[in-house]
Amino acid sequence: MRDAWFDACQTLAPRLVESMPATVVEIDEKSLAALGQWPWPRTLLARLVDTIAQEQPAAIGVDILMPEADALSPERLLARTTHLDASAVSALRGLPSNDTELARALATARAVVVVAGSDAPTGMPLRAPTFSVRDMNAASTPSTSATPALRRLVRYAGVQTSIDELDRAAAGRGLVSVEPAGGVIRRIPLVASIDGTLVPALAIEMLRVALHAPSLRLRVAGSDVQGVAIGELVVPTEDDGAVHVYYSPRNAGRMVSAVDVLEGRVDRDRLQQKLVLIGVTGLGLVEYHNTPLGVRMPGGEIHAQLLENLYDQTLLHRPSWAPALEAIALLVLGAVLILATPRWKPHFAALVALGCIGLAVACALLAFRSQRLLFDAATPSASLLLLFGVLLLLTLADATLQKRSLERLVQVQREQGARIAGELEAARQIQTATLPRDDLLRDDRRIDLAATMLPAREVGGDLYDFFRLDERRLFFLVGDVAGKGLSASIFMAVSKALYKSTLLRAPHANIGELMSAANAEVSRDNPHMLFVTAFAGILDLETGALDYCNAGHENPYRVHAVGNTLERIEGGDGPPLCAVADFAYPAGRCHLRPEELLCVLSDGVTEAQDVGRDFYGSARVQRILLDCSGRALSARGVVEALRTDVQAFAAGTEQADDVTILALRWHGIAPTW
């Protein structure tokens, strides 16, 4: 993955050719067609070397390994031929050996031949330039002793060379063995160890011969190789002595045909003071190698590209600290993903992941384009994608668990809500059952009474009660507990029961005394300091006399049948129950006229609000009561008309308080029994 990324960088931004210090003289299809099939007689190779040498190149490198003697040499022909006449044999014996001719040409031109590494010992002699090793971390002088860095070099057990006559005549020997990674030549070792002897790459050896340097210097630092020095030229390497070649696309300008050189059709500028490589490129004669650009190139052109890198100092470099930096970048960007993915929505987290990957890719590309540094963006990017996928799966799994947990919680809450709703419904039914029904007085023609209570919640804190004390006296009560809901309803039930109990124990007591006694009873067990407003009255059904007491409640309305007028009952006032201990409530008294309507309300009526937060108010109550009286509605009709109008007024808003209405009309007629 890392190598594929480095190849992609070169493909996106291949090297621009600045200069061409090397020229490849290729034995191509054109040359083979003109001069004969391969292998050529080595006298022809000698003529090619001599022709190139006449143009005074900087150095000549023969990228052809010749481990056997020339089969076309005269002495080899004589050994295989028995039917030649004496003159022909004499002529052949007078000719020099083809290998001798090529050796002479190599020696004259100070050419460099190639050697190849072997995994097994070969017994062939190895001639190599002198290498001195200098540890840059030590103050010692250069030496040839082994250091830990040398063990990091590419190592071979044996060597393959050209025949000794050719190898001995050459001015230098360069290694051409390269181990392609994944079939692609990306890195080329500039120096290797063959059975303990340091051998330079072909390009380095050609530079040494061109610079007339007697030896090479290997720079090391502890266990790492730092570079190779040739005179004043220092070529930095990676820790194992290899370099990353920065390739350019194939360029016909660095190639010339061998036949054109031999026939003088090549400009001198293509060869003079150039590093000339002689190689075979004819179809089927040489193996083309894969390069990071995705283009196959012959070995000679790859060596030429390396020489251009060395000459222009355009080698790629992967710093030794690059893996540590990549790991740190992965940790930092991974931490960003770990923090962002569980907290943000998936598409935002995906954008963060893409941003992290884009940042890694952009930084690596910038370093490649500007400084020719190789940083791996593929491995961190793939790791970030994998991390994001894992985090997404974990987040999804966690979300699924939370969803299931919430579903279980919602189900539990639904069950609890249903149970509470059932209990509240039961409480509402019980509370409603404790309120007296209108039909209790249906048979009494002297009175028409109706009441209703609309709780703000499932159960309410308002209360009303009415019952006959005897054949001629009717007791009625309307109360309002401070607050609403379950607590108010419980206190309402307790207050109603205690008030009724107090009344039944002293049915003939003064209404003020009854209110005082009820105040004492209700206040006795009231840890939450709740209070109750109440209006209680005892109506004499024979005379219409009304004894009443008002404990902080709304003053009731009297609607006269004659003249259709309205007034409010006053007097007999005191504080709400449980507000002032041992308060002596006064009693009030008035006389109802025949067909007169008495209406007692809780403050939930007048304080009802509409969507504009305006109150229902007393004026609207009075208008409804006068309208009902004018239409001679029954007590039930008055209650329903007032309740309906309040609900219509407050439509669209939440009911703020319990609404209680009690209407009583005294007919003023004698009983039938």
Side-chain angles (χ1 to χ4, degrees):
M1 187 182 301
R2 180 186 62 198
D3 290 341
W5 165 252
F6 293 160
D7 294 350
C9 290
Q10 294 210 50
T11 303
L12 291 172
R15 178 174 60 88
L16 299 177
V17 178
E18 299 178 11
S19 59
M20 287 188 180
T23 298
V24 179
V25 176
E26 55 178 344
I27 302 174
D28 55 0
E29 288 290 327
K30 177 181 176 182
S31 301
L32 295 175
L35 301 175
Q37 67 180 4
W38 188 261
W40 285 349
R42 289 178 184 165
T43 52
L44 184 55
L45 283 178
R47 186 158 66 91
L48 179 61
V49 172
D50 288 336
T51 304
I52 296 172
Q54 290 174 5
E55 304 299 331
Q56 298 180 345
I60 298 175
V62 182
D63 189 15
I64 303 171
L65 189 64
M66 296 171 282
E68 296 178 354
D70 188 359
L72 301 177
S73 188
E75 71 277 8
R76 301 292 295 275
L77 291 174
L78 283 174
R80 295 197 302 269
T81 304
T82 59
H83 303 291
L84 293 177
D85 56 24
S87 60
V89 171
S90 177
L92 288 175
R93 286 178 176 173
L95 294 175
S97 168
N98 290 358
D99 292 322
T100 301
E101 282 295 302
L102 181 56
R104 177 201 54 78
L106 294 176
T108 303
R110 289 183 51 79
V112 177
V113 295
V114 297
V115 298
S118 172
D119 293 333
T122 61
M124 292 184 175
L126 174 61
R127 298 177 179 88
T130 303
F131 258 99
S132 62
V133 180
R134 175 66 180 271
D135 191 340
M136 306 307 293
N137 292 337
S140 61
T141 58
S143 67
T144 58
S145 61
T147 66
L150 300 184
R151 290 192 289 270
R152 304 196 61 177
L153 298 176
V154 176
R155 305 174 71 84
Y156 296 101
V159 65
Q160 289 282 346
T161 67
S162 296
I163 60 175
D164 189 66
E165 184 178 3
L166 299 178
D167 187 73
R168 186 173 57 251
R173 296 135 201 98
L175 183 69
V176 292
S177 297
V178 178
E179 299 294 335
V184 180
I185 296 180
R186 303 180 180 90
R187 302 171 75 246
I188 297 178
L190 296 189
V191 61
S193 173
I194 298 180
D195 194 22
T197 301
L198 298 181
V199 180
L202 175 60
I204 293 296
E205 184 68 345
M206 289 181 67
L207 287 174
R208 183 190 70 81
V209 172
L211 295 174
H212 301 282
S215 63
L216 297 169
R217 301 188 304 278
L218 182 66
R219 294 189 171 193
V220 301
S223 61
D224 298 329
V225 178
Q226 285 194 330
V228 178
I230 314 163
E232 299 297 326
L233 175 64
V234 178
V235 181
T237 67
E238 296 185 2
D239 296 344
D240 59 353
V243 292
H244 273 90
V245 181
Y246 192 3
Y247 285 90
S248 68
R250 297 202 66 180
N251 191 325
R254 63 170 67 100
M255 314 290 286
V256 295
S257 177
V259 66
D260 291 337
V261 173
L262 289 171
E263 295 179 359
R265 294 195 296 266
V266 177
D267 294 337
R268 291 193 63 189
D269 294 341
R270 304 290 298 276
L271 301 174
Q272 189 175 26
Q273 295 302 311
K274 297 285 187 178
L275 299 166
V276 180
L277 286 155
I278 300 174
V280 181
T281 63
L283 184 63
L285 299 178
V286 66
E287 181 182 1
Y288 279 68
H289 304 280
N290 294 318
T291 64
L293 299 182
V295 179
R296 294 170 62 82
M297 297 182 185
E301 186 171 3
I302 292 176
H303 290 300
Q305 295 243 21
L306 175 57
L307 286 168
E308 291 174 9
N309 278 239
L310 297 174
Y311 187 83
D312 296 328
Q313 297 183 350
T314 54
L315 288 168
L316 300 176
H317 181 59
R318 177 162 172 79
S320 59
W321 42 266
L325 180 62
E326 292 158 3
I328 292 173
L330 176 60
L331 289 176
V332 172
L333 297 177
V336 172
L337 279 183
I338 291 173
L339 292 174
T341 303
R343 290 171 173 80
W344 292 1
K345 294 182 179 179
H347 59 280
F348 288 141
L351 290 177
V352 173
L354 291 177
C356 292
I357 293 172
L359 179 62
V361 170
C363 290
L365 280 176
L366 180 62
F368 179 83
R369 293 293 299 272
S370 61
Q371 303 296 324
R372 297 184 299 278
L373 295 176
L374 294 174
F375 291 107
D376 181 13
T379 304
S381 297
S383 301
L384 289 174
L385 277 178
L386 178 62
L387 175 63
F388 177 68
V390 172
L391 289 173
L392 206 58
L393 288 176
L394 291 177
T395 303
L396 180 60
D398 185 62
T400 302
L401 291 177
Q402 290 185 3
K403 180 181 178 182
R404 292 176 180 174
S405 178
L406 287 174
E407 288 176 349
R408 290 193 295 268
L409 180 61
V410 169
Q411 182 62 28
V412 171
Q413 290 178 342
R414 285 176 178 172
E415 294 174 356
Q416 293 177 346
R419 184 170 63 253
I420 293 174
E423 293 175 352
L424 290 175
E425 176 61 21
R428 186 189 67 78
Q429 293 177 0
I430 293 173
Q431 182 183 31
T432 303
T434 62
L435 299 176
R437 301 190 308 275
D438 297 350
D439 57 6
L440 293 177
L441 302 174
R442 185 177 3 178
D443 297 333
D444 194 339
R445 298 172 54 196
R446 297 171 296 178
I447 190 73
D448 180 14
L449 189 148
T452 186
M453 193 268 287
L454 298 176
R457 297 179 182 172
E458 289 80 359
V459 290
D462 283 6
L463 62 116
Y464 68 84
D465 199 0
F466 56 86
F467 54 88
R468 282 197 294 259
L469 295 174
D470 50 36
E471 293 300 325
R472 63 180 296 168
R473 290 189 305 159
L474 173 69
F475 172 80
F476 63 91
L477 169 71
V478 175
D480 183 2
V481 178
K484 54 185 178 292
L486 189 59
S487 60
S489 70
I490 295 174
F491 195 71
M492 177 274 280
V494 172
S495 301
K496 179 175 176 293
L498 291 175
Y499 203 107
K500 189 171 186 177
S501 170
T502 301
L503 176 62
L504 293 178
R505 287 199 302 270
H508 299 287
N510 178 277
I511 189 67
E513 295 173 351
L514 288 174
M515 190 68 80
S516 298
N519 181 41
E521 289 290 337
V522 176
S523 300
R524 182 173 295 114
D525 295 316
N526 184 17
H528 297 290
M529 303 301 292
L530 297 176
F531 62 87
V532 185
T533 66
F535 181 88
I538 298 176
L539 176 65
D540 190 328
L541 299 177
E542 297 287 337
T543 63
L546 176 63
D547 295 313
Y548 61 87
C549 185
N550 190 341
H553 200 76
E554 288 271 335
N555 289 323
Y557 293 90
R558 292 178 61 185
V559 184
H560 304 299
V562 179
N564 197 24
T565 58
L566 179 146
E567 66 174 307
R568 304 192 72 167
I569 293 178
E570 297 181 355
D573 296 334
L577 300 180
C578 305
V580 180
D582 301 326
F583 184 81
Y585 286 88
R589 188 179 180 87
C590 67
H591 283 79
L592 300 182
R593 300 168 187 159
E595 301 303 327
E596 187 172 330
L597 178 71
L598 179 68
C599 185
V600 187
L601 312 171
S602 67
D603 58 4
V605 175
T606 56
E607 294 180 2
Q609 295 180 332
D610 62 7
V611 292
R613 312 303 294 174
D614 294 327
F615 289 103
Y616 188 82
S618 299
R620 192 159 181 150
V621 173
Q622 296 173 15
R623 185 168 65 252
I624 296 297
L625 291 178
L626 290 174
D627 179 66
C628 292
S629 178
R631 291 186 291 158
L633 293 180
S634 64
R636 172 52 57 189
V638 172
V639 169
E640 289 300 321
L642 191 55
R643 180 185 63 81
T644 302
D645 193 63
V646 171
Q647 289 180 327
F649 176 81
T653 63
E654 183 181 1
Q655 184 176 337
D657 199 0
D658 304 326
V659 173
T660 302
I661 306 170
L662 184 145
L664 181 152
R665 188 184 298 277
W666 181 62
H667 294 302
I669 58 177
T672 58
W673 60 79

